Amino acid sequence: MNGRAGRIRIIGGSLRNSRLDVPDLPGLRPTPERVRETLFNWLAPTIAGVQALDLCAGTGALGIEALSRGAAGVQFVERDAAAARALRENLARLKAPGGAVAATDAASYLHGAPRTFGLVFMDPPFALELWAPLARQLEQGGWLTPSAQIYVESPRNTLPALPANWQAWREGAAGDVRFALYRRAGDLPLS
């Protein structure tokens, strides 16, 4: 979107071809359609009925795509008030059940009482380099099911430091972005 207001399309499921209004916000970087298509092809066998967490949600395209494809619920976390408002409006307009929006930053949200999620979308603003601290909070805070899947977006040449029990399952690149799906292999051993 390059900082311009616009619309993006949901590409599959019950909300297929629905458009999301995207506010004009600096640094907002919606996940491109072809990346979402690849990701949701990977997730197809496991998306139905999952509880998902969309950290640093931005437009909410990843979480709304998950709802469209059968996720039981998605908790969206977005620190920017305008983006959170646009996300709530998009969810209401699309009549997408199962979506809830928390207007707070991801680290603060993860300091709260944990709920377990089987799928997490972690696509923080690249300049803030939040991958390692958010991953640590997710892993140590009781937010993940034993076999959770975690989607991570980062700059193409950056391999974030993630917990040792998050095993890379699939990955790809598009433009300047690296995207990867990790599978959690139980709890980290206590040190």
Side-chain angles (χ1 to χ4, degrees), residues 4 6 9 25 63 73 83 111 136 150:
R4 295 180 311 233
R9 180 175 70 98
L25 298 170
H111 280 307
R136 192 170 36 257
I150 306 98

Side-chain angles (χ1 to χ4, degrees), residues 82-108:
R85 185 173 44 255
L87 180 49
R88 283 188 187 103
E89 290 167 0
N90 281 324
L91 287 167
R93 182 176 48 78
L94 295 174
K95 297 179 176 65
V101 180
T104 187
D105 68 275
S108 295

Side-chain angles (χ1 to χ4, degrees), residues 70-126:
V74 177
Q75 175 64 61
F76 297 89
V77 179
E78 176 50 50
R79 70 183 177 135
D80 185 277
R85 185 173 44 255
L87 180 49
R88 283 188 187 103
E89 290 167 0
N90 281 324
L91 287 167
R93 182 176 48 78
L94 295 174
K95 297 179 176 65
V101 180
T104 187
D105 68 275
S108 295
Y109 180 82
L110 294 175
H111 280 307
R115 294 173 38 205
T116 55
F117 295 96
L119 175 60
V120 176
F121 301 108
M122 193 168 63
D123 179 15
F126 289 178

Side-chain angles (χ1 to χ4, degrees), residues 140-184:
Q140 295 174 357
W143 292 94
L144 303 171
T145 64
S147 58
Q149 296 182 94
I150 306 98
Y151 170 77
V152 179
E153 265 187 48
S154 61
R156 185 181 195 116
N157 297 321
T158 299
L159 188 59
L162 300 173
N165 64 327
W166 291 16
Q167 299 172 348
W169 182 60
R170 299 268 178 104
E171 60 186 280
D176 295 331
V177 174
R178 176 186 178 272
F179 56 97
L181 186 62
Y182 293 83
R183 289 184 166 171
R184 185 173 184 260

Side-chain angles (χ1 to χ4, degrees), residues 20-46:
L20 302 179
D21 294 325
V22 177
D24 180 7
L25 298 170
L28 189 61
R29 183 186 35 77
T31 301
E33 273 189 31
R34 69 183 176 132
V35 172
R36 283 185 283 125
E37 183 172 3
T38 299
L39 169 62
F40 283 95
N41 285 340
W42 296 343
L43 292 171
T46 58

